[in-house]
Amino acid sequence: PVPTSPPTPVPTSPPTPVPTSPPTLAPFASPSPLLAGCNGLDAGDIMIILVNSDNPDVVALAALSDIPEGIDLYMTDNAWTGSSFRTNEGTKKLTVPSGGISAGTIFGYGDTDLYYGNDWVTESGSFALSASGDTVLLYCLSDANNYVHLAAF
C-alpha cells in the first residue's frame, strides 16, 4: 500500500458565544402609567386567586410581595376605559394596617375567614359582583395620583 498523509485540517470559525445571562423581556405596554408605583408596590405584586359573585361576593387575594402599611388598595367592578374607570358600579378601599401584609399572605374581601375580609370600606357606588360578566380590578394610586394597576380578574 501507498502511504497516505493525514487529511488537511479544514479551518473552522470560532464557536458562537453562549449568553451567560437569560434574556430579558421588555415591559408590557400598560394603559396607565406605572410611575413610581405605590410605595414600591407594582403590577403583579398581588394576585386575585378567587372570585365568588351573586351573594356572597368574595374576592381572595395573594400577596406576592410585602405590602407596606398605610397603602390604600382599591377594588372595583367598574370597567376600565383605557384612561379611567367608569362610575356606574362600585369601588371598595382597604387601608393596609400597621405592620403591612407579608408576602405569601392570603387576604381579601367579603369573608370573615380571610384576613381583612370585612375591613374594606365603600369608596364609591355599589360594589356588587355579578356572575353574568363582572370584572374585578385591583389598583392603588401613585404619589402623583395616577392609577397603578395591580391585578385583574
Side-chain angles (χ1 to χ4, degrees):
V2 178
T4 61
S5 58
T8 305
V10 177
T12 61
S13 57
T16 303
V18 176
T20 58
S21 62
T24 56
L25 299 175
F28 65 91
S30 173
S32 70
L34 293 175
L35 298 175
C38 301
N39 292 331
L41 200 60
D42 273 317
D45 286 342
I46 301 172
M47 180 187 295
I48 298 172
I49 58 173
L50 173 131
V51 173
N52 186 62
S53 56
D54 286 340
N55 302 321
D57 289 346
V58 177
V59 179
L61 307 166
L64 303 180
S65 297
D66 291 337
I67 304 171
E69 65 184 60
I71 290 179
D72 290 329
L73 299 178
Y74 298 90
M75 183 168 35
T76 187
D77 56 346
N78 283 310
W80 177 250
T81 67
S83 60
S84 63
F85 289 101
R86 294 182 192 260
T87 57
N88 59 318
E89 299 202 49
T91 301
K92 294 286 190 178
K93 178 176 87 171
L94 172 71
T95 300
V96 176
S98 177
I101 299 173
S102 299
T105 302
I106 305 298
F107 68 106
Y109 162 78
D111 189 324
T112 57
D113 289 336
L114 292 169
Y115 289 115
Y116 318 114
N118 290 329
D119 294 345
W120 297 76
V121 296
T122 298
E123 180 72 9
S124 65
S126 175
F127 184 82
L129 300 176
S130 170
S132 64
D134 255 335
T135 299
V136 177
L137 300 164
L138 186 71
Y139 66 96
C140 54
L141 296 172
S142 71
D143 291 340
N145 214 32
N146 292 303
Y147 296 110
V148 179
H149 297 276
L150 300 172
F153 188 92

